[in-house]
Amino acid sequence: MNDTSDHSSIQQEVLAAIKSGRVKMRPKWYFFLRAALVIVGAAFLFLTVLYLTSFIIFMLRQTGVLFVPAFGLRGLWVFLVSLPWLLIGAALLFILILEVLVKQYAFAYRRPLLYSTFAILFLVTAGGLVIAMTPLHPGLFKQAKEDALPLAGPLYRQFLAQRFPDIHKGMVIEFVDTGFFMKNNEEETLQVVVTSTTHFPFDSELYTGEWVVVFGRREDGTIQALGVHKVSDLMEEVPRMKGKSRHFGQ
Amino acid sequence: MRTRTDEDIVRQVKEGNTEAFGLLVKRYEQKILRYARRFLFGHEDGQDLVQEVFLKAYANIQSFDGEHKFSSWLYRIAHNEFINALRKKRRMPILYFDFDTVFPHLLASERADTQANEKEVKAMLDAHLQELDPKYREPLILYYFEEMNYKEIAEILHIPPATVGVRLKRGKDVLKSLIT
């Protein structure tokens, strides 16, 4: 192996390619632009994931799915099957792309992947929770119902109009011997039958005008309540007014 | 005696001094050629690839910001070029998820091998390079033949320094299993 001839030929070939113009030095602005595009892309992805996460949390609260794990293993199972897996998959895909984008930078590759993944997941979850508590989604949902939201309208209408067989969210309107009546978002009046086996995870004193999530099978207009969970919805359109109360004791 | 650092020469190249780039090529081509020959182990045309490495380095020289050593930056370009060559010839999977980089490892202290031990490892490497997975082959080459430390290898491979230690240890274990 002739190292000397390797040496001079590589150097010569490289310099010849440069002098002939076959290889050109990329200008500084090319790298600034590339970095800027990466930053913009990463920011867009992050905001999209943040929006999706907050939408998922809002949707779970709005439909009552968020509260059913309090009703034991069956509630947990219903919760898992009711999750918007398509949206969660999309959010995870964006997080993966974001991870790939940041991996080229020293702050990411010098540490185990787990750290940057946890950091992204933490930021996205915390940010999503904060945004879900703001009037953003209720406002957009209202516009979607009025058909005044061109792009995201179908997303709101499809996911927030979902009905889950065992999950019923509504406002308590009247107490009766067997339980109470409630009105849901579709303006339906449903009778909720409360028995000695109905589980109240946190507080068993209910008020008229209060929003609740009832877990149980519905047959026509009657729900056999396996569990009732109070919902403190700060963003309800109709403000909660505490009326009559009833304590469903053990 | 070297009077100008690599970074000084890079500054001149950035300002338009093409001949200065020839100096950098002269300084590094033997090292990069040696790295190519050992890593690719004759599967690919090392000379053409090494040429391509320097051409890419020239084309992208404005992206070198001096935050790291020029040698690490150049070896990183070489690493990418060689990995792509192996992938094209299907000697590596195209999409390859590296589990070693997912979890944290305790950083093994970088103890210098004794001279005898180092000779032994080099001899084993020379005899069994081709049989090693590129994932272990590369850090072993960079450590034992290019005489780089964990931090430098980590910068080239874009992995945590602790993972470098893990791969070196596993690579040596594989080598030992090959000779027994």
Side-chain angles (χ1 to χ4, degrees):
Chain A
M1 206 178 300
N2 191 339
D3 283 349
T4 315
S5 71
D6 285 344
H7 155 101
S8 54
S9 73
I10 289 177
Q11 190 185 23
Q12 283 168 356
E13 290 287 340
V14 168
L15 287 174
I18 293 169
K19 283 170 184 167
S20 71
R22 185 163 71 86
V23 171
K24 286 188 167 53
M25 191 189 294
R26 290 187 173 125
K28 248 188 186 163
W29 61 258
Y30 170 89
F31 299 101
F32 282 132
L33 187 63
R34 198 171 70 176
L37 282 172
V38 169
I39 290 167
V40 166
F44 175 75
L45 273 170
F46 182 72
L47 290 172
T48 304
V49 174
L50 212 56
Y51 171 80
L52 267 178
T53 309
S54 64
F55 176 82
I56 290 167
I57 294 168
F58 173 72
M59 177 234 141
L60 293 176
R61 278 179 67 88
Q62 193 70 10
T63 55
V65 172
L66 192 68
F67 305 99
V68 299
F71 301 126
L73 280 175
R74 189 172 159 191
L76 187 61
W77 170 252
V78 169
F79 172 77
L80 288 172
V81 300
S82 305
L83 284 174
W85 289 109
L86 197 65
L87 291 181
I88 291 170
L92 289 174
L93 179 66
F94 288 138
I95 289 174
L96 186 67
I97 297 171
L98 191 59
E99 189 68 61
V100 169
L101 270 181
V102 302
K103 220 41 190 148
Q104 60 182 296
Y105 296 102
F107 71 85
Y109 68 69
R110 277 183 192 160
R111 289 170 186 82
L113 190 68
L114 204 65
Y115 291 8
S116 54
T117 306
F118 272 164
I120 292 172
L121 283 173
F122 173 76
L123 286 170
V124 154
T125 308
L129 275 167
V130 167
I131 294 170
M133 301 294 282
T134 67
L136 172 72
H137 289 298
L140 291 173
F141 184 35
K142 192 178 173 191
Q143 286 181 45
K145 282 193 282 190
E146 291 162 4
D147 216 6
L149 195 64
L151 284 172
L155 184 76
Y156 283 86
R157 285 192 295 271
Q158 183 188 332
F159 282 96
L160 290 162
Q162 281 183 104
R163 283 237 197 135
F164 300 95
D166 289 352
I167 306 170
H168 317 278
K169 190 178 172 193
M171 192 201 307
V172 178
I173 52 174
E174 188 187 340
F175 292 110
V176 292
D177 290 341
T178 52
F180 58 90
F181 282 93
M182 72 177 194
K183 191 173 265 193
N184 64 13
N185 285 326
E186 288 80 42
E187 299 297 313
E188 291 174 306
T189 300
L190 302 169
Q191 183 182 0
V192 179
V193 176
V194 176
T195 66
S196 57
T197 57
T198 302
H199 179 50
F200 289 81
F202 302 106
D203 185 356
S204 56
E205 185 171 18
L206 302 182
Y207 290 84
T208 52
E210 193 160 44
W211 284 84
V212 294
V213 167
V214 179
F215 183 59
R217 200 122 296 250
R218 174 180 165 174
E219 280 176 31
D220 296 322
T222 304
I223 304 165
Q224 299 293 328
L226 292 171
V228 179
H229 190 308
K230 288 167 76 158
V231 175
S232 56
D233 266 335
L234 304 172
M235 295 295 135
E236 289 299 335
E237 285 180 43
V238 176
R240 190 200 323 175
M241 284 161 39
K242 281 194 174 178
K244 291 180 188 168
S245 74
R246 178 158 163 197
H247 195 283
F248 290 91
Q250 270 81 39
Chain B
M1 193 175 85
R2 190 179 289 188
T3 53
R4 283 185 288 173
T5 64
D6 295 340
E7 289 72 27
D8 287 339
I9 298 173
V10 167
R11 220 170 289 126
Q12 290 182 329
V13 173
K14 282 182 180 182
E15 285 163 9
N17 186 344
T18 310
E19 291 299 328
F21 191 73
L23 281 175
L24 285 173
V25 176
K26 190 174 162 182
R27 280 186 188 180
Y28 283 99
E29 64 180 319
Q30 282 313 300
K31 290 183 180 182
I32 305 289
L33 255 176
R34 190 174 58 216
Y35 173 31
R37 282 177 184 144
R38 287 206 163 96
F39 184 42
L40 302 170
F41 205 82
H43 290 305
E44 316 302 334
D45 187 346
Q47 189 141 339
D48 279 351
L49 282 171
V50 170
Q51 210 169 288
E52 209 45 48
V53 167
F54 285 110
L55 292 175
K56 283 203 168 137
Y58 180 79
N60 293 294
I61 201 94
Q62 293 288 358
S63 73
F64 176 70
D65 55 12
E67 198 188 311
H68 307 292
K69 284 163 63 174
F70 173 77
S71 57
S72 301
W73 183 78
L74 185 66
Y75 270 85
R76 173 71 189 165
I77 295 173
H79 159 83
N80 287 340
E81 205 59 31
F82 300 158
I83 293 288
N84 287 341
L86 286 177
R87 281 188 180 140
K88 273 184 193 158
K89 293 281 168 99
R90 298 289 192 269
R91 294 189 201 286
M92 266 188 85
I94 289 175
L95 282 175
Y96 158 64
F97 182 70
D98 197 345
F99 284 98
D100 281 342
T101 61
V102 174
F103 299 104
H105 301 283
L106 286 172
L107 181 61
S109 56
E110 199 177 333
R111 275 168 285 137
D113 278 349
T114 60
Q115 237 182 351
N117 193 27
E118 203 179 293
K119 268 189 180 169
E120 189 191 336
V121 173
K122 279 180 173 175
M124 282 195 292
L125 270 173
D126 275 333
H128 298 283
L129 257 181
Q130 196 176 7
E131 294 162 82
L132 280 175
D133 190 300
K135 192 168 87 160
Y136 302 127
R137 194 191 313 152
E138 198 173 8
L140 283 166
I141 291 168
L142 291 171
Y143 189 77
Y144 284 102
F145 294 111
E146 303 305 314
E147 293 173 345
M148 293 187 176
N149 59 35
Y150 283 23
K151 200 180 162 201
E152 287 168 328
I153 298 171
E155 285 304 319
I156 292 164
L157 303 184
H158 276 197
I159 56 177
T163 306
V164 174
V166 167
R167 290 210 186 152
L168 286 173
K169 188 191 175 304
R170 284 192 194 145
K172 284 194 277 188
D173 290 343
V174 170
L175 270 179
K176 282 173 189 162
S177 70
L178 288 172
I179 61 169
T180 52

